[in-house]
Amino acid sequence: MKILYLYSEIMGYQMPILKQYVEKYNAEVHVIHWDHKKLTPYVPPIIENVLFYSRSKYNTKELVKFVSKLNPDIIYISGWMDKSYLAAVFQIRKRGIPVVTMFDDIWFKTLRQKIASLFFPYIKKYFFSHAWVAGPYQYEYAKRLGFKNTEIIHNSLSADLNLFNEVYERNINNKVKNIPHSFLYVGRFEDIKGVDILVKAWDNLKKSELTKDWELTIIGNGSLKNQLSHYSSVQILDFMQPEQLREKIGEYGCFVLPSRKEQWSLVLHEFSAAGMPIICSDICGAAPYFVIPGFNGYTFRKCDVCDLQEKMLKIINLTDQQLLDMSFNSHNIGQKISPEISAASFMSILK
């Protein structure tokens, strides 16, 4: 069996899913991925029976020829930004080969989305057979673009559960004895991530002397770094490689994601599996999957500093046993999706 991935920028969380295709389905996986205009310097590892190809080596004609000659059993395409990818799947759909487009977009009622919802249902059959959605918000968008229930599969994104379950197992015994009183943010220091909202909320709590023995640490880099450094009550650490970060997670008691806009946010899956209580803005696409208010964390209204303060204060005022219960609950919720489940969802199309 041959699987073809037409990918934009490939990321590390995809690797366990690709391995599942090989190990569970005896598949040969071919991955074409963008190697220019990358947001990260990630380089995929060597995986047996997974072949990687640089997108820059193919013009449209060459790509169409390559895909046609490969003649895969099923194709994954990450959206429709790459016109050469679309040209390739247009030709292959004539053979009846399933082509699955991945959805992590949310329906925001933008003009562009409204126009797409009018025209896309009439042309989608020429390019795509199925939509693979991350969660309920993406499902809504797929339906508006004309995909039927039978043409939509779920669980398109998964954290590497082996890694983050290991983090949980390594730290949970220490947390039983002494749970850390420290909030953590990890991500880019950019406006869209709402990190300025977080430090303002924290600063207000600090000035009101409501933080008790709690602390706030933010890890990352970005254009707002100098602005954020003015808040002396916040510990700022530079961007860390994933291996370094996993070693640090055990030092913190609650993860906060204050994004102004977030299509999905795989980090919510990662930190829930790692056993962290979570506070996140209600715009995060993954929030309905991985955050149950009062059970393993809280959500707050996006951009609302006062609401975020209130939710942080709720965490601060919990007992250590209540925080520990949230940690257990978060870890359990994090098991909802796995690379095995993601791969099985994709392969179910061929069943």
Side-chain angles (χ1 to χ4, degrees), residues 81-135:
M81 298 173 289
D82 191 315
K83 301 302 185 290
S84 295
Y85 283 175
L86 291 178
V89 300
F90 176 78
Q91 293 297 326
I92 212 76
R93 278 296 293 146
K94 296 176 182 178
R95 304 181 192 175
I97 294 172
V99 175
V100 185
T101 181
M102 197 277 280
F103 267 82
D104 64 356
D105 290 342
I106 296 176
W107 175 255
F108 287 118
K109 299 181 181 179
T110 64
L111 178 60
R112 183 178 180 181
Q113 288 179 331
K114 289 178 179 178
I115 293 173
S117 69
L118 293 175
F119 295 100
F120 193 81
Y122 299 101
I123 64 172
K124 73 175 183 63
K125 65 180 179 181
Y126 297 108
F127 298 94
F128 313 116
S129 61
H130 294 79
W132 195 8
V133 301

Side-chain angles (χ1 to χ4, degrees), residues 189-237:
F189 297 166
E190 303 293 346
D191 183 73
I192 195 171
K193 292 296 183 178
V195 65
D196 58 312
I197 297 170
L198 172 59
V199 295
K200 286 176 185 176
W202 177 253
D203 195 53
N204 291 342
L205 288 172
K206 201 74 175 176
K207 288 175 180 177
S208 301
E209 299 182 348
L210 296 173
T211 57
K212 297 183 180 179
D213 63 338
W214 279 73
E215 298 176 346
L216 170 63
T217 298
I218 59 175
I219 300 176
N221 220 323
S223 62
L224 298 180
K225 187 170 185 178
N226 289 337
Q227 176 184 325
L228 298 173
S229 64
H230 295 155
Y231 293 88
S232 59
S233 61
V234 180
Q235 182 183 27
I236 301 177
L237 300 179

Side-chain angles (χ1 to χ4, degrees), residues 192-302:
I192 195 171
K193 292 296 183 178
V195 65
D196 58 312
I197 297 170
L198 172 59
V199 295
K200 286 176 185 176
W202 177 253
D203 195 53
N204 291 342
L205 288 172
K206 201 74 175 176
K207 288 175 180 177
S208 301
E209 299 182 348
L210 296 173
T211 57
K212 297 183 180 179
D213 63 338
W214 279 73
E215 298 176 346
L216 170 63
T217 298
I218 59 175
I219 300 176
N221 220 323
S223 62
L224 298 180
K225 187 170 185 178
N226 289 337
Q227 176 184 325
L228 298 173
S229 64
H230 295 155
Y231 293 88
S232 59
S233 61
V234 180
Q235 182 183 27
I236 301 177
L237 300 179
D238 284 335
F239 168 83
M240 295 181 184
Q241 294 296 333
E243 297 77 14
Q244 296 173 284
L245 181 60
R246 288 194 293 270
E247 293 297 320
K248 295 280 290 182
I249 290 176
E251 299 177 15
Y252 304 98
C254 181
F255 178 71
V256 187
L257 186 65
S259 302
R260 286 182 167 88
K261 184 178 181 182
E262 196 77 58
Q263 304 283 43
W264 178 247
S265 184
L266 193 73
V267 71
L268 293 184
H269 189 187
E270 293 172 341
F271 278 92
S272 63
M276 292 275 280
I278 293 171
I279 298 174
C280 69
S281 59
D282 57 8
I283 197 64
C284 296
Y289 259 54
F290 299 112
V291 183
I292 300 176
F295 186 69
N296 74 315
Y298 299 98
T299 60
F300 71 95
R301 294 183 296 274
K302 68 167 185 172

Side-chain angles (χ1 to χ4, degrees), residues 2-4 72-76 97-100 346-347 349-350:
K2 294 180 183 177
I3 297 173
L4 173 63
D73 295 278
I74 187 169
I75 297 176
Y76 166 103
I97 294 172
V99 175
V100 185
F346 181 75
M347 296 302 292
I349 291 171
L350 297 178

Side-chain angles (χ1 to χ4, degrees), residues 3 18 51-52 75 163 166 181 186 193 219 229 262 274 282 303 308 317:
I3 297 173
L18 300 183
L51 293 84
F52 295 96
I75 297 176
L163 289 178
E166 181 184 338
H181 288 182
V186 179
K193 292 296 183 178
I219 300 176
S229 64
E262 196 77 58
D282 57 8
C303 304
L308 176 53
N317 288 331

